[in-house]
Amino acid sequence: CNDILKGFHGGVMLMDEVDLLLDPLKSELNWPMGKKLPLDMTEGGTGPDAKERKGLRYRLPFHMLEAFFCTPKDFTSSSAGDEQAVLSALGKVIEEGKSSLQLQTIPHILILSKAFYS
């Protein structure tokens, strides 16, 4: 019996029936058992830059979208080093796509040519 329980604790489950998984009256996701652990990238951990890493899980998506919703003037003050180089390169590619009519930016970014995607 103990071996079976160890198998359950160390295993992975793929669930096809999402309705059962998300049902608030049936799912263990709503009443988790065991020790509560923080989600990945929600805490900074230890070290001198731990405070800067705190909450990275929630800041990361906004940081990634910054490249698409800000002009180069907007992100130069908040980005540094390699980030600035990547954002500038992305901005150049977007401008190149717009000028060659292979990329649409209004109402949102849309690639119009498979060749431009490659």
Side-chain angles (χ1 to χ4, degrees):
C1 183
N2 284 336
D3 291 337
I4 294 172
L5 288 176
K6 286 179 186 176
F8 283 131
H9 288 286
V12 175
M13 177 179 73
L14 296 176
M15 183 77 171
D16 185 32
E17 301 296 329
V18 176
D19 56 332
L20 290 177
L21 192 64
L22 298 177
D23 186 336
L25 300 176
K26 298 179 183 175
S27 175
E28 189 182 319
L29 292 175
N30 296 300
W31 294 286
M33 299 171 66
K35 185 179 175 185
K36 290 184 180 181
L37 300 172
L39 296 172
D40 292 338
M41 298 184 351
T42 54
E43 294 188 350
T46 59
D49 60 343
K51 188 174 182 180
E52 295 170 5
R53 290 193 315 263
K54 187 171 177 84
L56 184 62
R57 176 188 190 97
Y58 310 108
R59 293 192 326 253
L60 185 61
F62 294 104
H63 181 71
M64 294 169 66
L65 290 172
E66 179 182 23
F68 295 99
F69 294 114
C70 296
T71 63
K73 291 178 275 183
D74 294 334
F75 54 68
T76 53
S77 60
S78 64
S79 304
D82 292 339
E83 295 173 35
Q84 183 61 39
V86 169
L87 291 172
S88 294
L90 181 60
K92 288 177 186 175
V93 170
I94 290 173
E95 287 302 319
E96 177 187 316
K98 282 173 49 178
S99 64
S100 64
L101 303 177
Q102 296 182 8
L103 186 73
Q104 171 183 315
T105 57
I106 297 174
H108 54 271
I109 293 180
L110 179 67
I111 299 173
L112 303 173
S113 168
K114 285 185 181 182
F116 185 75
Y117 185 75
S118 306

